[in-house]
Amino acid sequence: MKKLTWVSFMSVSRIYREPHEVPGKLSLYDVSVSELQQVALAAISARNEATSLHPLNAPGMYSYMAGVAALRALFIQKPGWKIARPNGVEAIRNERLEMLILFQNVDCACGEHDPNPVSSKGKGVAALVDSRDGYLWDYMAEEARRDENLHTWFFCVSCNGDEVRAELSRPRSVENGNFGTFMERIFILQDEDWSRAVDESDADNLGEEFDIRVTKKG
């Protein structure tokens, strides 16, 4: 039997994927599976607004902006959650839970391999994930000092053809613009959840300013 070393043990992710374990994990953060699924659908709906006349990065840009807004619309209705911009990074935060959440488009969520961001992450994000990293300027360290001990999570959404997936996960580090290994991954929207989530889509879940129109591209 292969001996499990400390290094290999540290690289193992704790994955929550089964229907009986995900709701309980999310309840710690005062959010439900269906609520987070609606955030993912809002991001995908915005992605589908891009046409061939738009710049090539429009789908990702639309998805990111709608995803950040939908994530905030969901959480700021709940006690303790506030809009945050540590290191100039758009996020939401909860001081009681010591938790910071960022929206992220990824290559493939809920897969066998850890997801990676579609766009390279900079030093500002890396510093939030690993508080041992330095900041670009001294004033950034002062402004972000209250965030140093927060657990930084990413709400990761991917769209590959008809495959729409989402997970709420916590990477150990950001290395060369990509995520390193993950500490925890919570699967929110898997392939078999897609049709049901669309059927249950309700704009009221995300606030009156969101009108979710989700279509699947052929």
Side-chain angles (χ1 to χ4, degrees):
M1 179 180 295
K2 184 178 180 180
K3 184 179 180 180
L4 185 66
T5 65
W6 175 251
V7 173
S8 62
F9 174 77
M10 287 297 291
S11 66
V12 175
S13 301
R14 177 65 175 97
I15 299 178
Y16 301 84
R17 71 172 87 222
E18 301 300 332
H20 68 273
E21 60 182 355
V22 172
K25 179 64 176 178
L26 292 178
S27 67
L28 298 174
Y29 313 129
D30 193 27
V31 70
S32 69
V33 175
S34 60
E35 286 176 323
L36 287 178
Q37 286 179 344
Q38 298 308 309
V39 173
L41 296 182
I44 297 303
S45 175
R47 171 183 290 275
N48 290 341
E49 295 296 325
T51 70
S52 59
L53 299 177
H54 287 91
L56 289 176
N57 65 341
M61 182 183 300
Y62 285 3
S63 175
Y64 171 75
M65 291 190 296
V68 171
L71 198 64
R72 286 173 169 171
L74 167 62
F75 276 94
I76 62 175
Q77 304 176 60
K78 302 176 182 295
W81 287 97
K82 299 179 180 179
I83 293 174
R85 296 183 175 89
N87 292 358
V89 177
E90 301 293 341
I92 52 173
R93 60 175 289 156
N94 187 307
E95 293 185 1
R96 178 181 64 82
L97 297 176
E98 296 185 329
M99 190 174 186
L100 192 72
I101 305 180
L102 286 65
F103 179 87
Q104 181 64 56
N105 288 312
V106 297
D107 54 358
C108 185
C110 301
E112 179 181 352
H113 302 289
D114 292 339
N116 261 314
V118 173
S119 57
S120 179
K121 300 292 95 183
K123 291 184 177 180
V125 173
L128 294 176
V129 176
D130 186 352
S131 61
R132 294 171 298 178
D133 288 352
Y135 293 88
L136 295 177
W137 293 281
D138 291 341
Y139 80 88
M140 283 187 172
E142 182 65 28
E143 291 179 354
R145 183 166 296 164
R146 64 181 182 277
D147 294 317
E148 286 183 351
N149 295 320
L150 293 183
H151 296 169
T152 302
W153 293 70
F154 292 79
F155 186 61
C156 303
V157 176
S158 66
C159 180
N160 297 299
D162 287 343
E163 292 184 351
V164 177
R165 301 177 181 179
E167 63 180 79
L168 179 63
S169 299
R170 181 188 174 193
R172 288 187 173 87
S173 62
V174 172
E175 304 168 1
N176 299 319
N178 290 324
F179 294 140
T181 57
F182 280 71
M183 300 183 69
E184 294 181 90
R185 299 174 65 194
I186 308 172
F187 289 7
I188 303 300
L189 185 63
Q190 303 180 61
D191 291 343
E192 60 269 23
D193 301 323
W194 165 255
S195 297
R196 182 172 65 255
V198 172
D199 291 339
E200 296 175 354
S201 178
D202 182 354
D204 290 339
N205 290 338
L206 298 174
E208 296 179 357
E209 60 186 296
F210 289 95
D211 180 16
I212 303 176
R213 297 183 298 279
V214 181
T215 59
K216 295 176 73 173
K217 292 187 175 181

